[in-house]
Amino acid sequence: MNSNVYTSNHPLIKHSLTILRNIDTDPQTFRNNIKIISTLLTFEATKKINTKETEVNTPMGSTTGNTLSENITLVPVLRAGLGMVEGILDLIPQSSVWHIGLKRDETTLKPIQYYTNQPEKTDDQTCIILDPMLATGGTAVEACNLIKSWGIESIKYVGILAAPEGIECLNNEHPTVDIYVGEIDSHLNDIGFIVPGLGDAGDRQFGT
């Protein structure tokens, strides 16, 4: 495995992943477990973000603590990435949220951009792309291309599941982007879905 690819053996993630895979899981339960996994993976993805020392007064006196010195931006890829935002905002409430609309052409499996709203200020941002499924890798690559065109180089990818093909594609195009996923599955099938996977993450979140 590449040194910039991280999977988790945490039992809570494995438990939630099993619930997500189950074809009988209802949308509300599905969304809740997407939230759980996203939060836990982001906890890992932010282990090395920068902090600065600061003085703080406690009820018993003063001491030195640490606060975040990086500006964190969450970039959910519409629509499946939306379900990953809430739990991470609970973890990093000061984060900005930018949205990128990308969908896959089901014939060519290539990404099609249908929405973006370029932020006015992009200085000193660390962007975390949120997309549950790293399948062919085309959407993740296009998201990275767009964010880098805004002048941002510090990018991480957080997803729920990945296929080896998607990891290879993203690594080839953007080798400096760290990838955090719950698990790496076997392969893609002939219609570009992850096997064994969990189906369409957007449809299953929103009951469509």
Side-chain angles (χ1 to χ4, degrees):
M1 185 187 300
N2 297 75
S3 60
N4 67 322
V5 180
Y6 305 88
T7 59
S8 176
N9 289 317
H10 198 292
L12 293 179
I13 289 181
K14 289 186 174 295
H15 175 80
S16 286
L17 263 177
T18 301
I19 293 172
L20 293 181
R21 292 188 191 276
N22 190 335
I23 194 173
D24 295 321
T25 296
D26 63 87
Q28 181 179 357
T29 304
F30 195 94
R31 289 192 299 271
N32 188 52
N33 283 277
I34 286 279
K35 176 181 176 180
I36 290 169
I37 294 174
S38 303
T39 305
L40 292 172
L41 286 174
T42 302
F43 183 81
E44 292 297 319
T46 54
K47 283 195 303 186
K48 296 181 180 179
I49 61 174
N50 294 318
T51 61
K52 61 182 178 181
E53 287 192 352
T54 185
E55 293 295 319
V56 60
N57 292 318
T58 81
M60 299 296 116
S62 62
T63 187
T64 301
N66 296 87
T67 57
L68 297 182
S69 60
E70 287 188 39
N71 297 314
I72 306 297
T73 296
L74 310 180
V75 188
V77 177
L78 303 177
R79 63 185 166 143
L82 286 175
M84 303 177 69
V85 174
E86 182 182 358
I88 301 173
L89 282 178
D90 288 342
L91 190 66
I92 322 172
Q94 67 270 40
S95 299
S96 301
V97 182
W98 304 340
H99 299 87
I100 294 176
L102 293 167
K103 64 180 180 179
R104 185 170 66 174
D105 185 303
E106 297 303 333
T107 301
T108 65
L109 304 183
K110 301 294 184 182
I112 300 171
Q113 181 182 316
Y114 65 89
Y115 175 81
T116 185
N117 187 7
Q118 181 174 346
E120 293 182 0
K121 179 177 172 54
T122 60
D123 295 341
D124 301 321
Q125 297 289 334
T126 292
C127 286
I128 303 176
I129 296 173
L130 306 175
D131 196 5
M133 313 298 282
L134 182 54
T136 64
T139 297
V141 167
E142 189 60 30
C144 289
N145 289 342
L146 186 59
I147 291 169
K148 287 186 175 182
S149 76
W150 296 339
I152 298 165
E153 291 295 328
S154 179
I155 302 172
K156 300 176 186 294
Y157 178 97
V158 174
I160 306 298
L161 289 177
E165 296 93 329
I167 289 174
E168 181 180 9
C169 176
L170 182 53
N171 265 325
N172 286 342
E173 296 296 326
H174 296 285
T176 62
V177 173
D178 290 338
I179 301 169
Y180 294 83
V181 293
E183 200 162 306
I184 300 172
D185 275 3
S186 172
H187 64 283
L188 296 178
N189 64 14
D190 58 355
I191 57 172
F193 274 68
I194 298 173
V195 179
L198 49 80
D200 187 297
D203 284 346
R204 295 198 62 194
Q205 283 184 75
F206 303 114
T208 54

